[in-house]
Amino acid sequence: MNKQVVIEVYGAEQICASCVNMPSSKETMDWLQAAISRKYPQQPFTIDYIDIYNPPEHEEKKVFAQRVIEEDLFYPVVLVEGKIVGEGNPRLKAIYSELEQFGYQPK
């Protein structure tokens, strides 16, 4: 593996109206972190949660948070190195596939 991948989870405290009975964005982030750590042990990655209604001062994150709101994307929206790989109820298979593009090897 050549690079520590950055995964971003954009979401909100309130569950998306179309995502009733789904885990919250933060719960999804915790679930992803655990699942990825198990699948790719000893292969570091960074996972960040960004609240779409209170994004950090980083301009790129603010712009994407606004896009989630304006385009009515289903959140949480999961990005791997800036590419959307999951929306609403993200699929591990899609996320794993993207990580493997960066050289991650499953256990």
Side-chain angles (χ1 to χ4, degrees):
M1 183 187 70
N2 300 329
K3 177 181 177 157
Q4 180 171 318
V5 171
V6 175
I7 301 166
E8 295 171 316
V9 178
Y10 285 80
E13 290 293 322
Q14 182 179 352
I15 294 176
C16 162
S18 299
C19 304
V20 175
N21 298 324
M22 303 291 291
S24 72
S25 297
K26 285 186 179 180
E27 289 169 332
T28 298
M29 182 192 73
D30 292 341
W31 169 72
L32 285 174
Q33 187 161 17
I36 293 167
S37 294
R38 278 192 306 271
K39 178 96 171 173
Y40 305 100
Q42 309 303 313
Q43 297 175 72
F45 61 93
T46 302
I47 189 163
D48 295 320
Y49 175 76
I50 297 99
D51 186 315
I52 59 174
Y53 296 109
N54 189 21
E57 288 302 314
H58 187 275
E59 189 61 30
E60 192 173 298
K61 292 180 190 318
K62 283 176 128 176
V63 168
F64 192 81
Q66 191 61 39
R67 178 179 167 200
V68 172
I69 295 166
E70 289 176 358
E71 294 181 16
D72 290 325
L73 298 176
F74 296 124
Y75 51 84
V77 179
V78 178
L79 281 71
V80 174
E81 288 297 317
K83 177 181 178 186
I84 297 175
V85 294
E87 187 182 337
N89 186 15
R91 303 285 181 227
L92 283 174
K93 186 175 181 179
I95 295 166
Y96 291 162
S97 177
E98 192 63 27
L99 289 171
E100 290 171 11
Q101 298 296 313
F102 289 94
Y104 282 65
Q105 297 295 315
K107 172 174 114 172

